[in-house]
């Protein structure tokens, strides 16, 4: 039976993930306990990331991932331009990433095909009828460029409405994430405020973004790909 986190992945078909990463250490678990965070699960999962040999997706800041049996496409999004933000709010936003998350496979295939349509031409994506079928990857020249396993402990801070994940990747990197999922078109500014309050309770300081697992993985294992993403200001 799928656990809580797997069900969460299945149910959220279209949302915006607002997330702040932080470096965790031996004191982080103690701090989480002190601020009243509740552990909601612990699991291990394997992530595979796909792109074309020319990096057509990632150079557009699009991240196609298969986690266990579930597909996800993260696409860049922007904050509503009509929102007024103070200097403090702007600093908080700069420490967070915002991605639209798509977890419906036919929709993922359509979005990917739009980006690399010169490869796909006008062919129909036959695999869209089955989430178990991966043959569509080779049809549009997608290859796995990253694969790693993560041990994750997840917590909720109900007062702030956030989820906090502590990750340990098998390539030796430890990182924490404070996350809020917002329905597409929802209040991103409110999510940023929740994350900022949670970060304060965790005692997080600093004004620079913390590197995510993919950032570190590419830096260590695929320096050419990493350099291209840096040059385009993706990472």
């Amino acid at each position: 039976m799928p656990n809580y986190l797997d069900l969460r992945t299945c149910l959220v078909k279209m949302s915006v993930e607002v997330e702040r990463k932080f470096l965790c250490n031996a004191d982080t678990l103690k701090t989480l306990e002190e601020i009243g965070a509740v552990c909601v699960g612990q699991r291990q999962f394997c992530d595979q990331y796909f792109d074309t040999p020319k990096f057509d997706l990632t150079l557009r800041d699009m991240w196609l991932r298969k986690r266990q049996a579930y597909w996800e496409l993260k696409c860049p999004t922007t904050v509503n331009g009509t929102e007024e933000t103070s200097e403090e709010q702007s600093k908080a936003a700069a420490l967070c990433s915002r991605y639209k998350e798509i977890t419906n496979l036919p929709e993922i295939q359509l979005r990917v095909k739009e980006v690399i349509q010169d490869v796909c031409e006008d062919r129909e994506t036959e695999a869209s009828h089955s989430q178990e079928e991966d043959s569509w990857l080779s049809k549009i020249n997608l290859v796995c460029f990253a694969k790693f396993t993560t041990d994750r402990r997840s917590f909720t801070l109900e007062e702030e409405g956030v989820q906090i994940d502590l990750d340990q990747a098998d390539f030796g990197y430890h990182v924490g994430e404070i996350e809020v999922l917002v329905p597409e078109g929802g209040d991103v500014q409110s999510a940023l405020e929740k994350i900022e309050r949670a970060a304060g309770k965790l005692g997080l300081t600093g004004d620079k973004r913390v590197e995510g697992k993919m950032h570190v993985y590419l830096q260590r294992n695929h320096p050419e790909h990493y350099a291209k993403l840096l040059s385009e200001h993706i990472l």
Side-chain angles (χ1 to χ4, degrees), residues 114-131:
E114 288 174 358
V115 173
I116 52 178
Q117 57 186 337
D118 56 325
V119 178
C120 297
E121 298 177 342
D122 294 324
R123 291 178 296 177
E124 292 296 324
T125 309
E126 297 173 5
S128 63
H129 299 294
S130 171
Q131 293 195 18

Side-chain angles (χ1 to χ4, degrees), residues 4-215:
Y4 164 82
L5 295 172
D6 289 332
L7 289 173
R8 176 175 170 272
T9 301
C10 293
L11 292 173
V12 180
K13 296 300 182 184
M14 184 78 75
S15 59
V16 174
E17 174 195 69
V18 187
E19 180 181 275
R20 174 173 171 176
K21 294 178 173 61
F22 64 95
L23 296 177
C24 49
N25 54 42
D27 295 326
T28 304
L29 285 174
K30 181 180 178 181
T31 302
L32 285 168
E33 181 179 350
E34 291 174 347
I35 66 177
V38 177
C39 182
V40 294
Q42 183 171 353
R43 63 171 180 157
Q44 182 183 86
F45 52 84
C46 178
D47 286 333
Q48 294 174 274
Y49 286 83
F50 296 85
D51 202 348
T52 68
K54 293 184 178 181
F55 316 129
D56 293 293
L57 294 178
T58 53
L59 285 175
R60 291 170 175 80
D61 203 12
M62 297 177 68
W63 302 87
L64 176 63
R65 179 176 72 196
K66 186 177 185 182
R67 173 170 292 176
Q68 304 298 93
Y70 302 109
W71 286 94
E72 181 179 80
L73 180 65
K74 291 190 176 185
C75 305
T77 186
T78 56
V79 179
N80 188 332
T82 62
E83 294 177 352
E84 295 183 3
T85 56
S86 66
E87 182 178 352
E88 291 75 16
Q89 290 172 332
S90 296
K91 289 180 180 179
L95 294 173
C96 295
S97 62
R98 293 179 293 276
Y99 284 96
K100 181 185 296 184
E101 292 187 331
I102 305 170
T103 56
N104 176 269
L105 182 55
E107 177 67 15
I108 288 172
Q109 292 169 330
L110 287 174
R111 296 294 183 97
V112 170
K113 185 177 178 180
E114 288 174 358
V115 173
I116 52 178
Q117 57 186 337
D118 56 325
V119 178
C120 297
E121 298 177 342
D122 294 324
R123 291 178 296 177
E124 292 296 324
T125 309
E126 297 173 5
S128 63
H129 299 294
S130 171
Q131 293 195 18
E132 302 299 325
E133 178 60 67
D134 293 349
S135 63
W136 65 282
L137 296 170
S138 60
K139 289 181 180 180
I140 53 178
N141 202 27
L142 291 173
V143 296
C144 178
F145 69 87
K147 181 178 181 180
F148 52 84
T149 299
T150 299
D151 288 303
R152 168 172 289 181
R153 296 185 69 173
S154 296
F155 303 80
T156 58
L157 195 56
E158 294 184 2
E159 182 179 351
E160 302 300 345
V162 302
Q163 178 164 309
I164 300 171
D165 295 326
L166 303 183
D167 287 353
Q168 179 178 345
D170 63 2
F171 53 90
Y173 187 57
H174 299 245
V175 68
E177 303 172 348
I178 308 172
E179 176 188 299
V180 177
L181 287 177
V182 181
E184 188 175 20
D187 189 350
V188 172
Q189 187 59 49
S190 175
L192 291 169
E193 292 169 0
K194 291 177 181 179
I195 291 172
E196 181 71 5
R197 289 195 296 268
K201 290 184 176 182
L202 284 168
L204 302 182
T205 58
D207 57 0
K208 293 184 179 180
R209 282 198 193 187
V210 170
E211 297 175 341
K213 295 190 295 291
M214 179 55 68
H215 191 127

